Amino acid sequence: MLEAAKTPAAVVCQQGLDPESIKAHFADHLKHTLARDHYTATPHDRYLALAMVVRDRLVERWIKTQETHHDRHVKRVYYLSLEYLTGRSLGNNVINLGIEAAVEKAMADLGLNWVDLRDEELDAGLGNAGLGRLAACFLESLATMQVPAMGYGLRYDYGIFRQHIQNGWQVEQPDDWLRGGHPWEIPRPDYLIPVQFEGRVETGREGGRLTFRWVDTRDVLGMPYDIPVVGYGGQTVNTLRLWSARAAQEFDLQDFDQGDYVAAVHSKVMAENLTKVLYPADAVYAGRELRLRQEYFFVACSLFDILRRFKVDREGWSELPHRIAVQMNETHAALAVPELMRLLVDREGMGWEAAWDLVVRSLSYTNHTLMPEALERWPVDMIERILPRHLQIIYEINRRFLKLVADRYPGDLERQCRMSLIEEGAVRQVRMAPLAIVGSHATNGVSAIHSRLLKASVAPDLAEMYPGRFCSVTNGVTQRRWLLKANPALADLITKTIGSGWITDLRQLARLTPLAEDAAFRQRFMAVKRQAKTVLADYLRAKYGWKIDPDTLYSVLVKRIHEYKRQLLAVLGLMIRYNRLRSKAPPDVPPRTLVFAGKAAPNYTMAKLIIKLIHNVASVINNDPAAARLLRVHFVPNYRVSLAERIMAAADLSEQISTAGTEASGTGCMKLMLNGALTIGTLDGANIEIADEVGPDNIFIFGLTAEQASAQAGRHDPQSVYRQDAEIREALDLMFSGHFNPQEPGIFAPLRAALLDQGDRFLCLADLRSYVDTQDRVDALYRDPHAWARKAILNVAHSGRFSSDRAIGEYAREIWHVGPCPIEMDPVPKM
Ligand code: 26Q
């Protein structure tokens, strides 16, 4: 039962990190902030009260960090991302503040379970997938490494949809994540920022100089909400600033007076729709006007804010690239190029060349995808209507750029056409990736192979013209969330074995290498893994009634559902396994549980059909006595950060099976490796670097290489695979026989067509034999628990490179040219 507050509010020490002051302050918030007593408080109220206790303990550190950054005139990193997949914050904030033990004790004293309270928090799902989660890991690493940094993004009222499954189909539901209140944000109405849209450009002259005035615009206000981002050790607390759209005018008085109340609020509704919802597409780009408006709104608010902060110090403009480093996360932020030009030229009165030099030196760009259908292009007409001044600026950038091209390659008209930032066609469009490359000093891919392919395929001409601009930074993940928090038992075992240095220096995990040869350690390691598998099984049993046996091999394939990621290949492999188990002489394989999870973009019919297929196949297999003991398949609904934390800890096998050359990096692969899963994967994205680190004997690589895969384009003959490989033929025949969809005849025909009649674009059939044979090798290894444990330990030991701390270190040195700024704060308790 809850204790009444014994300490009067006024004397509660808001900084006390000990259980007593946490308890007192908790009771105080429950009563005075939430107006609850212990009869009426819900678990969610208690979560909120505890979150506010923790937030209060961050505030002083937050203020001190901001003061220090300001006083020391530091160079700051500004990370511009339309997505942040933060997930839950309470657990990580408590860990990074070093107060987990104190909080646990305080709650236990009150008869409350800390972990249950922590898990009351709703995920902040302001992102689709890897790109958004990367942004969240990067902010955490920046704070831990004490780099002055600020994240900018949008405060969507609705984040990534909640995925429900009905009869095997994905059904989307709105993610009303703010409904229970959001204790981590502070609104800052005093920093409201006006953003213009539409209107027209007036040209004039002032003292011989052309001037441009963007007038008759429809304006929207940007309202900032600040969220603290605390680094491990609690020294630096950076800010994530998210913009929410507000109407510049509450309502139109004229319409109101005339009694047309709908018209009176029309512009308010339109304005506030701007940040209503996150676009739920991950790698298919749809040229929707509202999306363009979101991108501009976000860029305009952020750059205005950045320049406002720069101007406080009254330094000359030439200092700008020494004070700011603006990272564009994908082309979603590429309007920063023309917008910063507009601010410097039109508003600050700078000449074009001087402004351009500052823009290029201040901006840098990360590309996250090579898929042609995901490359952003905006119709010239649309930009002209919504951002008329920006179109003029883009034209001028292009004119000057094409002149450089012409000077460098005289007479090469074909090259000039290819390189134009404007794509000529039925619809003229602005190509955003080249705009970002031309308008910045550094462009990076997110893994070695991706950076190489980016230069070779997306931007060969630009790579030739600006070789020094291209670089590569392999992604990473924060070990504070993905090991310390997600897998406390393993984190504990590691700390007991090699000390806690790995928490801020993941390379120290290498010290586990010799322990792979130690039978007693292997035993402990596998006991920890089994424990994590039991925790997941218990969770899924409580939530869905599933009975999962922790003594089976957990093979996980968790990520967005996309054809290039090839969940379909996994299903085909599963089909062959199932057929074998149904045969007259079933093989003696170790029992497996296959765990799928992931969302499909709501308009991505094929991906949604794959989800349906997985469900139908799962329900047949799980109910077939021939397979019962040896094979189970589960699709866990509503994949999100908090669910990922549970799954990563429990996995034995990490499936990373994209068509080589399509997955830019992947970061799930890193989280799984860090938690001791072995990878079965193609030579794609970060898998290649994982293989380099862990060595070929400790990873299961299969399938075509990127070069082989691209050589297959137009040549691969799926029909001949079907004819020649009996197991594959039987698997396909079974899958499309109606065996899995007796009540829904024909629903899987589009999958059959894609595989057999339309050339199997993602080469599922080309790689299937190799995949299945490699899975057989996985089975063989799993039969030998010590051999498996040895490799699992070696995977953890060699995962040090995949920390987001390493990635941030590389960005800081090679792209941003920034260093740490230590904050002098009392240290927090050591974990
Ligand atoms: C673009 C235009 C309009 C609407 C939506 C979008 C959009 C939104 C999100 C396009 C792409 C995304 C997300 C892409 C993404 O998550 N990519 C992943 O990024 C990870 C981090 O670098 C990589 O590890 C993955 O390989 C890559 O797929």
Side-chain angles (χ1 to χ4, degrees):
M1 270 293 111
L2 214 63
E3 257 181 32
K6 293 200 183 95
T7 326
V11 296
V12 170
C13 169
Q14 308 216 332
Q15 281 305 299
L17 301 180
D18 56 293
E20 287 310 312
S21 65
I22 289 172
K23 260 192 288 184
H25 200 197
F26 175 79
D28 188 46
H29 267 305
L30 208 54
K31 184 166 171 190
H32 294 108
T33 314
L34 298 167
R36 293 293 201 184
D37 60 26
H38 61 270
Y39 296 111
T40 54
T42 63
H44 192 75
D45 292 326
R46 296 198 170 99
Y47 150 71
L48 283 176
L50 183 56
M52 288 186 278
V53 170
V54 174
R55 189 185 75 190
D56 291 341
R57 279 153 181 75
L58 283 172
V59 164
E60 194 159 329
R61 292 164 184 274
W62 197 4
I63 292 171
K64 176 83 179 188
T65 302
Q66 302 313 314
E67 270 174 13
T68 311
H69 292 168
H70 177 255
D71 294 349
R72 298 210 195 133
H73 307 285
V74 295
K75 179 170 184 177
R76 282 192 183 81
V77 175
Y78 293 108
Y79 200 80
L80 266 55
S81 176
L82 269 183
E83 309 205 352
Y84 291 92
L85 262 185
T86 313
R88 294 176 177 149
S89 292
L90 178 57
N92 286 87
N93 287 346
V94 160
I95 286 176
N96 283 6
L97 269 177
I99 56 174
E100 187 166 24
V103 167
E104 187 171 6
K105 163 113 183 35
M107 295 302 107
D109 287 354
L110 299 173
L112 300 170
N113 180 313
W114 143 240
V115 169
D116 291 348
L117 280 191
R118 185 193 71 181
D119 292 351
E120 272 295 313
E121 181 170 358
L122 294 180
D123 278 44
L126 304 184
N128 276 284
L131 164 152
R133 181 55 233 174
L134 185 76
C137 282
F138 277 6
L139 290 192
E140 199 272 354
S141 280
L142 282 160
T144 295
M145 298 171 77
Q146 306 223 52
V147 178
M150 197 154 169
Y152 280 108
L154 288 186
R155 181 182 180 273
Y156 304 105
D157 296 337
Y158 295 88
I160 185 68
F161 63 85
R162 284 190 301 152
Q163 179 192 55
H164 273 244
I165 303 294
Q166 271 172 20
N167 185 31
W169 296 99
Q170 166 176 299
V171 177
E172 301 88 21
Q173 297 194 334
D175 167 45
D176 189 8
W177 72 292
L178 293 166
R179 70 181 176 277
H182 184 222
W184 303 111
E185 69 184 11
I186 312 268
R188 303 268 187 220
D190 44 330
Y191 289 139
L192 270 179
I193 285 175
V195 178
Q196 296 171 279
F197 286 97
E198 304 174 30
R200 61 195 173 82
V201 181
E202 262 180 14
T203 314
R205 238 174 220 293
E206 256 169 44
R209 188 172 173 275
L210 269 183
T211 58
F212 300 89
R213 286 191 347 136
W214 186 11
V215 296
D216 296 340
T217 50
R218 280 177 194 260
D219 296 356
V220 178
L221 298 176
M223 160 96 147
Y225 286 76
D226 285 355
I227 299 171
V229 181
V230 59
Y232 186 78
Q235 300 299 102
T236 288
V237 184
N238 284 328
T239 304
L240 169 58
R241 177 163 282 183
L242 301 179
W243 302 101
S244 178
R246 292 284 178 279
Q249 219 186 348
E250 278 301 300
F251 47 76
D252 187 306
L253 268 181
Q254 227 169 11
D255 286 331
F256 190 81
D257 288 344
Q258 287 165 9
D260 191 343
Y261 302 119
V262 173
V265 296
H266 179 73
S267 70
K268 177 175 165 71
V269 172
M270 290 303 286
E272 295 182 357
N273 268 344
L274 211 54
T275 49
K276 192 58 78 192
V277 55
L278 166 81
Y279 269 86
D282 59 332
V284 260
Y285 143 77
R288 307 296 283 272
E289 181 175 321
L290 184 61
R291 169 73 181 195
L292 179 66
R293 287 178 186 264
Q294 282 186 339
E295 292 186 359
Y296 179 62
F297 174 74
F298 145 70
V299 158
C301 290
S302 308
L303 285 177
F304 189 101
D305 203 44
I306 292 168
L307 292 196
R308 181 191 52 69
R309 193 170 301 110
F310 172 77
K311 284 161 77 169
V312 170
D313 288 338
R314 298 176 183 282
E315 293 179 308
W317 282 108
S318 62
E319 275 303 293
L320 189 70
H322 304 291
R323 295 286 168 261
I324 75 169
V326 178
Q327 189 66 33
M328 301 181 281
N329 196 24
E330 249 313 325
T331 52
H332 310 163
L335 285 169
V337 175
E339 174 66 1
L340 191 49
M341 279 306 283
R342 186 184 74 86
L343 293 172
L344 295 178
V345 173
D346 295 0
R347 229 184 42 164
E348 304 297 336
M350 208 176 286
W352 184 278
E353 275 94 10
W356 183 247
D357 175 62
L358 296 180
V359 167
V360 169
R361 285 161 63 206
S362 302
L363 301 183
S364 44
Y365 158 57
T366 306
N367 173 285
H368 297 264
T369 181
L370 299 172
M371 304 289 288
E373 58 266 49
L375 294 176
E376 277 193 288
R377 296 174 164 83
W378 291 105
V380 165
D381 292 349
M382 197 189 282
I383 299 193
E384 185 166 36
R385 187 161 40 79
I386 298 171
L387 305 168
R389 177 60 184 137
H390 294 77
L391 186 65
Q392 293 179 341
I393 292 173
I394 291 169
Y395 278 158
E396 182 61 13
I397 293 171
N398 197 35
R399 189 185 67 76
R400 289 168 182 255
F401 169 63
L402 289 179
K403 181 157 185 319
L404 284 183
V405 176
D407 291 349
R408 169 98 182 258
Y409 306 98
D412 192 345
L413 289 178
E414 205 171 293
R415 185 185 293 259
Q416 288 176 45
C417 283
R418 269 199 322 262
M419 292 185 76
S420 173
L421 303 179
I422 311 293
E423 187 175 277
E424 305 289 340
V427 185
R428 297 181 72 229
Q429 310 194 87
V430 178
R431 302 158 66 212
M432 302 306 277
L435 175 63
I437 297 169
V438 169
S440 64
H441 68 280
T443 293
N444 74 287
V446 290
S447 71
I449 184 183
H450 169 63
S451 305
R452 181 165 63 74
L453 293 176
L454 177 65
K455 283 193 279 186
S457 71
V458 175
D461 297 314
L462 284 166
E464 186 181 324
M465 189 151 155
Y466 298 116
R469 282 194 187 181
F470 286 80
C471 59
S472 182
V473 183
T474 297
N475 285 166
V477 303
T478 166
Q479 64 266 34
R480 272 77 61 185
R481 180 175 293 264
W482 296 107
L483 181 50
L484 189 55
K485 164 151 189 279
N487 199 344
L490 180 58
D492 216 42
L493 174 63
I494 294 172
T495 296
K496 287 202 174 99
T497 311
I498 60 167
S500 62
W502 62 273
I503 298 173
T504 48
D505 176 13
L506 200 62
R507 294 270 192 188
Q508 291 191 21
L509 291 180
R511 292 162 58 188
L512 294 170
T513 307
L515 288 138
E517 313 307 328
D518 174 339
F521 185 79
R522 288 198 296 262
Q523 209 109 48
R524 280 157 71 200
F525 182 88
M526 290 319 276
V528 163
K529 178 57 83 180
R530 190 179 184 288
Q531 177 60 27
K533 290 164 75 173
T534 310
V535 170
L536 180 65
D538 291 347
Y539 171 79
L540 294 175
R541 180 198 279 258
K543 207 158 157 89
Y544 302 107
W546 300 341
K547 294 192 187 94
I548 297 180
D549 179 358
D551 290 315
T552 57
L553 184 165
Y554 285 15
S555 182
V556 315
L557 181 41
V558 294
K559 50 186 77 242
R560 283 298 282 253
I561 312 292
H562 211 293
E563 287 163 282
Y564 85 77
K565 296 182 188 276
R566 296 202 297 193
Q567 282 89 358
L568 195 49
L569 173 60
V571 176
L572 289 164
L574 178 62
M575 212 55 23
I576 291 180
R577 178 172 292 256
Y578 176 53
N579 268 340
R580 289 178 183 174
L581 294 176
R582 297 190 322 149
S583 70
K584 288 204 188 79
D588 180 24
V589 290
R592 276 202 190 213
T593 303
L594 183 42
V595 176
F596 287 96
K599 292 175 182 174
N603 60 359
Y604 191 171
T605 319
M606 246 350 196
K608 291 175 106 169
L609 190 56
I610 292 169
I611 293 179
K612 171 66 173 164
L613 175 69
I614 295 170
H615 279 91
N616 281 26
V617 167
S619 94
V620 169
I621 292 181
N622 295 347
N623 291 303
D624 185 337
R629 208 179 48 80
L630 296 177
L631 186 57
R632 292 272 161 167
V633 184
H634 293 287
F635 186 101
V636 190
N638 203 29
Y639 188 53
R640 60 199 183 282
V641 173
S642 59
L643 178 60
E645 291 172 26
R646 297 178 192 275
I647 294 176
M648 300 304 170
D652 293 306
L653 186 65
S654 158
E655 303 226 20
Q656 309 299 337
I657 62 177
S658 53
T659 315
T662 62
E663 188 69 274
S665 161
T667 46
C669 52
M670 301 171 183
K671 297 159 197 166
L672 286 157
M673 178 192 197
L674 182 63
N675 283 279
L678 274 61
T679 302
I680 180 166
T682 45
L683 284 174
D684 199 18
N687 295 352
I688 297 176
E689 288 156 75
I690 288 181
D692 288 346
E693 293 293 310
V694 77
D697 294 342
N698 302 309
I699 186 166
F700 295 97
I701 295 294
F702 73 93
L704 299 172
T705 62
E707 280 64 33
Q708 292 166 337
S710 77
Q712 285 293 312
R715 298 182 47 215
H716 164 52
D717 178 8
Q719 298 278 356
S720 85
V721 179
Y722 176 85
R723 281 192 305 271
Q724 284 163 24
D725 190 319
E727 266 196 324
I728 292 181
R729 186 168 57 248
E730 284 155 19
L732 285 162
D733 287 348
L734 178 67
M735 203 157 106
F736 300 121
S737 67
H739 184 78
F740 300 100
N741 51 321
Q743 315 298 328
E744 303 147 299
I747 56 168
F748 298 127
L751 296 174
R752 185 178 195 286
L755 287 174
L756 289 169
D757 307 330
Q758 290 155 11
D760 182 22
R761 180 178 167 207
F762 294 99
L763 304 173
C764 287
L765 295 181
D767 276 345
L768 181 54
R769 174 47 54 194
S770 169
Y771 177 61
V772 168
D773 292 347
T774 307
Q775 287 285 16
D776 292 345
R777 292 201 289 123
V778 171
D779 285 336
L781 180 71
Y782 200 71
R783 297 225 146 244
D784 181 346
H786 275 281
W788 183 279
R790 185 177 163 276
K791 291 188 199 295
I793 295 165
L794 289 176
N795 268 272
V796 178
H798 291 98
S799 63
R801 177 167 148 71
F802 302 108
S803 170
S804 43
D805 300 346
R806 188 263 319 142
I808 286 300
E810 292 178 14
Y811 277 97
R813 254 192 329 277
E814 290 160 30
I815 297 177
W816 301 329
H817 310 293
V818 298
C821 170
I823 309 294
E824 280 131 37
M825 279 305 286
D826 296 338
V828 299
K830 273 248 172 277
M831 289 283 290

